């Protein structure tokens, strides 16, 4: 257990956190990024990335490594820590971790991203890790030549469904409406892929299996009310995600969906606390947004600290 002093603390080591860390460290601010798992965030779990400028095609895991290496090069400290809570003591912002360590700084940048939404249907939890997955890049290879189902109609479902055709003998994309919300280019790729069959207007009511793994899905057509069974070897669920704001409940203002509200300087309602990336309330959630937000947050935090230092110097 120890108390460590920094100028800037970043909570969350996804693209936003790493970019904020790179900027703050490059501005010669002593900066730490607290990440409970591995750096890279959701992008590290994504297959192909082809909408990050300058990279026509790159694996998500490679891009995540580049972000990490770049930030480290400018002196960002990265600590494996799970944050328990964040609080204020005068002008200081303190971050207490589950390890018992406390980090003290003048500014905190929240880049905590989101967690995949669950369907909350029978069988989902029982077969999690036994054919139920939320990450194609992590688990797709386990289902080579199997029939795979993907649930959802957003960018993630349709893109990862296409990615999973690398492994599966067939991929069903099951969507509750009769059109996707995914970007047109992502949709077109799925429509053109011979291995993909789309099951429209349908929800998964339950996930069925034997004592080892998933074997079937119980489906319901929401227009006709008809039930059917689909034999599968795996199901990948991509029905959105929730922002990770649990540790700030009650302190930081959020929108009605729980995403953190900021102004255009990425300032939250608490002075010295900034937010960037997927956890922030905004129209789109892309890596490009996250790094844009993070740049603003890091520069705004730097200016805020400068002002605080001037104020303290005048008091002496
Ligand atoms: P999303 O855009 O929120 O889409 C969630 C999908 O799941 C929607 O099609 C929704 O159906 C469906 N859904 C939600 N709850 C459901 C339920 N209980 N049962 C069945 N279906 C349900 O989430 P996402 O695809 O995970 O994307 C999240 C963010 O990341 C988005 O901003 C997205 O643009 C971004 N992203 C971008 C890329 C890329 O640009 N390459 C890749 C991945 C993610 P409805 O359509 O009927 O609401």
């Amino acid at each position: 257990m120890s108390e460590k002093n920094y100028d800037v603390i970043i909570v969350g080591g996804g693209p936003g956190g790493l970019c904020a860390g790179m900027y703050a460290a490059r501005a010669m601010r002593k900066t730490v990024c607290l990440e409970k798992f591995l750096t890279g965030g959701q992008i590290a779990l994504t297959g192909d990335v082809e909408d990050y400028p300058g990279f026509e095609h790159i694996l998500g895991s490679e891009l995540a490594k580049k972000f990490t290496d770049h930030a480290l090069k400018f002196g960002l400290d990265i600590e494996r820590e799970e944050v328990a809570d964040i609080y204020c003591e005068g002008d200081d912002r303190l971050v207490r971790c589950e390890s018992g360590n406390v980090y003290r700084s003048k500014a905190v940048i929240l880049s905590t991203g989101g967690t995949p939404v669950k369907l909350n249907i029978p069988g989902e939890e029982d077969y999690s890790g036994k054919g139920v997955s939320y990450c194609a890049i992590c688990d797709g290879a386990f289902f080579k030549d199997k029939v795979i189902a993907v649930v959802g109609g957003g960018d993630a479902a349709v893109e990862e469904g296409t990615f999973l055709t690398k492994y599966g003998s067939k991929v069903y994309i099951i969507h509750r409406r009769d059109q996707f919300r995914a970007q047109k280019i992502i949709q077109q790729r799925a429509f053109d892929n011979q291995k993909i069959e789309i099951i429209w207007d349908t929800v998964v009511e339950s996930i069925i299996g034997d004592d080892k793994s998933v074997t079937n899905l119980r489906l319901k057509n929401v227009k006709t009310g008809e039930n059917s069974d689909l034999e599968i070897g795996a199901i990948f669920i991509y029905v959105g995600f929730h922002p990770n704001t649990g540790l700030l409940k009650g302190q930081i203002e959020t929108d009605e969906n729980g995403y953190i509200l900021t102004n255009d300087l990425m300032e939250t309602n608490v002075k010295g606390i900034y937010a960037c990336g997927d956890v922030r309330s905004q129209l789109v959630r892309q890596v490009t947004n996250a790094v844009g937000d993070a740049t603003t947050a890091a520069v705004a935090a730097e200016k805020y600290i400068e002002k605080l230092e001037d104020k303290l110097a005048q008091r002496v």
Side-chain angles (χ1 to χ4, degrees):
M1 260 175 34
S2 66
E3 184 172 304
K4 300 178 188 178
N5 284 293
Y6 280 90
D7 294 318
V8 181
I9 299 168
I10 293 159
V11 184
L18 293 168
C19 176
M22 186 269 283
Y23 267 89
R26 191 166 175 272
M28 311 295 282
R29 289 293 176 185
K30 193 176 174 219
T31 308
V32 65
C33 174
L34 307 175
E35 166 58 51
K36 67 175 173 187
F37 184 48
L38 295 172
T39 55
Q42 292 289 312
I43 201 70
L45 307 176
T46 302
D48 303 319
V49 176
E50 52 181 29
D51 50 8
Y52 191 77
F55 296 91
E56 283 171 29
H57 174 262
I58 185 166
L59 282 176
S61 53
E62 262 180 63
L63 189 58
K65 184 170 184 320
K66 283 184 186 290
F67 286 146
T68 308
D69 292 347
H70 196 163
L72 288 171
K73 185 193 154 203
F74 284 111
L76 175 69
D77 287 348
I78 297 176
E79 298 288 351
R80 176 79 69 93
E81 293 274 22
E82 180 158 4
V83 172
D85 65 281
I86 299 174
Y87 53 101
C88 305
E89 268 181 22
D91 287 333
D92 286 355
R93 302 289 167 262
L94 285 94
V95 178
R96 192 176 58 79
C97 299
E98 296 291 355
S99 62
N101 291 332
V102 174
Y103 294 79
R104 183 183 286 268
S105 70
K106 294 287 178 242
V108 172
I109 300 176
L110 303 169
S111 175
T112 46
T115 307
V117 173
K118 306 263 188 308
L119 283 173
N120 289 320
I121 52 170
E124 184 177 14
E125 207 180 318
D126 298 341
Y127 289 104
S128 180
K130 296 176 184 169
V132 174
S133 172
Y134 304 86
C135 176
I137 192 151
C138 318
D139 300 330
F142 296 124
F143 304 104
K144 206 163 180 307
D145 300 325
K146 296 263 188 322
V147 175
I148 294 173
V150 174
V151 186
D155 287 339
V158 182
E159 195 164 58
E160 300 308 317
T162 306
F163 172 77
L164 284 164
T165 59
K166 285 186 187 180
Y167 303 111
S169 55
K170 182 168 183 89
V171 174
Y172 290 101
I173 302 180
I174 302 166
H175 184 37
R176 63 182 178 183
R177 290 190 293 131
D178 61 0
Q179 55 183 21
F180 290 138
R181 70 167 63 218
Q183 296 165 55
K184 294 281 178 263
I185 187 167
I186 294 176
Q187 293 192 30
Q188 197 53 52
R189 258 183 227 136
F191 294 148
D192 292 345
N193 192 311
Q194 301 290 312
K195 279 192 178 178
I196 292 181
E197 184 175 332
I198 298 154
I199 306 181
W200 300 110
D201 299 314
T202 297
V203 292
V204 181
E205 285 194 327
S206 60
I207 299 171
I208 302 154
D210 54 26
D211 53 351
K212 285 200 201 105
S213 64
V214 165
T215 56
N216 291 73
L217 298 179
R218 184 83 173 142
L219 305 180
K220 183 180 182 179
N221 183 304
V222 292
K223 285 200 172 148
T224 63
E226 261 172 51
N227 281 110
S228 59
D229 256 25
L230 185 68
E231 222 173 282
I232 51 142
I235 172 171
F236 288 79
I237 299 168
Y238 285 104
V239 293
F241 66 87
H242 283 313
N244 294 328
T245 51
L247 56 98
L248 299 154
K249 280 251 149 50
Q251 291 185 65
I252 301 271
E253 280 173 10
T254 61
D255 65 15
E256 66 280 12
N257 297 316
Y259 291 91
I260 296 174
L261 290 168
T262 68
N263 62 12
D264 58 4
L265 295 179
M266 305 301 139
E267 291 171 320
T268 67
N269 59 306
V270 180
K271 241 189 182 163
I273 301 191
Y274 300 77
C276 65
D278 286 356
V279 75
R280 189 173 86 82
S281 178
Q282 57 181 316
L283 179 64
V284 278
R285 276 172 256 288
Q286 299 279 313
V287 183
T288 44
N289 287 84
V291 298
D293 290 358
T295 308
T296 305
V299 174
E302 163 62 12
K303 290 190 186 304
Y304 170 77
I305 295 169
E306 264 174 23
K307 269 197 196 152
L308 263 186
E309 287 172 341
D310 286 350
K311 192 176 89 180
L312 292 172
Q314 277 165 15
R315 268 194 215 155
V316 177

